[in-house]
Amino acid sequence: SSLETENPSPRVETEQETVQTETEAPQTEDPALHAEDGIYTFLQGPVAWESKAPYSGIWCEEELDGGLFSVFGCGLCDMAGIYSSLTPYECSPLDMYWLARKVSGYAPGDGAGAIDWPYMSETLQKTGFETKLRKKDRKYESFQKSIADSCGAIVLISSESDDTYWQDTPGHYVNIWHYNPETDMVFLGDWGNPKHNRQWIPLRYIYDALSTENAWQYLLVNSYDEEK
């Protein structure tokens, strides 16, 4: 069933407070008639909210369990984007925060901060999604196939693995959608950087930047069942 809120959430997005120098990604037209228009993204930083940037919201300034959402909320933005994009319903990143607290062991106040992979998977499964946690594939072609066969994915990137597109980013969850085999590009939801958010980038940028310091590197969303 849907996540219920007092006020329906508009389409929203977020950003990091830090100023970064990034490589501008090549842009391309999505062959599926702008399929990205159906993708929800969110921004998590207070600068975005204060400037009335599209895709930002009041969650940017929320303090939860002694921490600022803008510091730890990227994974929750990912989950809200998946839920709002792939179901008939909408939710905000804050809705997803409260749901994760309710149905999983997630507790940012215990020092964990950002939501960890098992809690993301468990929470998404409670909302009707079939998910699978994956480690970085040894071959790029295997990663390509996994992304091509999925509805969407959450990936953990780090500039310590590769800084071609992300700089000064030790660890950050982002969403990728609509793999295009003709261009080998994906549509990116990056809650921490408005300049990256809603851009088409090479899938290779994602693969090279996957953070190998974590137990898991990405989460595949394979299907949605409303009855679940």
Side-chain angles (χ1 to χ4, degrees):
S1 62
S2 65
L3 298 179
E4 297 179 350
T5 59
E6 293 184 4
N7 298 304
S9 303
R11 296 192 174 195
V12 275
E13 302 192 11
T14 12
E15 97 196 285
Q16 274 175 332
E17 297 277 9
T18 55
V19 177
Q20 300 180 353
T21 303
E22 52 265 342
T23 302
E24 292 296 328
Q27 296 298 300
T28 186
E29 193 79 14
D30 180 29
L33 297 178
H34 300 287
E36 72 268 23
D37 290 348
I39 298 300
Y40 279 62
T41 56
F42 302 86
L43 293 173
Q44 75 189 61
V47 171
W49 175 236
E50 290 167 5
S51 65
K52 296 179 170 55
Y55 314 113
S56 62
I58 190 62
W59 54 82
C60 298
E61 297 184 333
E62 289 290 314
E63 183 173 334
L64 302 160
D65 282 333
L68 293 173
F69 185 90
S70 59
V71 174
F72 67 78
C74 56
L76 298 159
C77 288
D78 280 309
M79 296 160 67
I82 287 169
Y83 181 85
S84 298
S85 299
L86 298 179
T87 80
Y89 312 107
E90 294 179 326
C91 76
S92 76
L94 279 181
D95 295 326
M96 196 55 74
Y97 167 84
W98 291 113
L99 182 68
R101 290 296 311 272
K102 180 179 180 180
V103 303
S104 76
Y106 174 55
D110 65 5
I115 188 167
D116 202 3
W117 291 113
Y119 303 144
M120 281 197 286
S121 182
E122 183 178 5
T123 303
L124 287 171
Q125 288 174 14
K126 293 287 187 180
T127 61
F129 291 101
E130 179 192 341
T131 66
K132 187 172 184 178
L133 292 173
R134 296 289 297 268
K135 295 182 181 294
K136 182 175 181 176
D137 304 86
R138 292 188 177 184
K139 294 184 178 181
Y140 176 62
E141 291 75 16
S142 298
F143 180 67
Q144 275 179 314
K145 187 177 188 309
S146 292
I147 298 303
D149 292 343
S150 70
C151 300
I154 299 174
V155 297
L156 179 63
I157 57 88
S158 172
S159 57
E160 294 175 1
S161 297
D162 183 87
D163 64 357
T164 300
Y165 193 62
W166 286 272
Q167 292 80 40
D168 302 317
T169 307
H172 182 44
Y173 293 121
V174 298
N175 271 143
I176 53 175
W177 304 91
H178 294 312
Y179 174 67
N180 181 349
E182 295 182 5
T183 61
D184 199 32
M185 300 180 85
V186 288
F187 186 62
L188 174 67
D190 186 340
W191 332 110
N193 192 321
K195 292 182 180 179
H196 286 173
N197 196 35
R198 304 190 72 80
Q199 302 298 308
W200 287 90
I201 69 169
L203 181 63
R204 187 82 204 199
Y205 285 2
I206 300 292
Y207 178 78
D208 289 345
L210 288 176
S211 175
T212 56
E213 297 299 315
N214 202 273
W216 306 99
Q217 279 71 56
Y218 64 105
L219 178 151
L220 296 172
V221 178
N222 293 321
S223 65
Y224 169 69
D225 184 347
E226 186 170 3
E227 292 185 0
K228 295 183 180 180

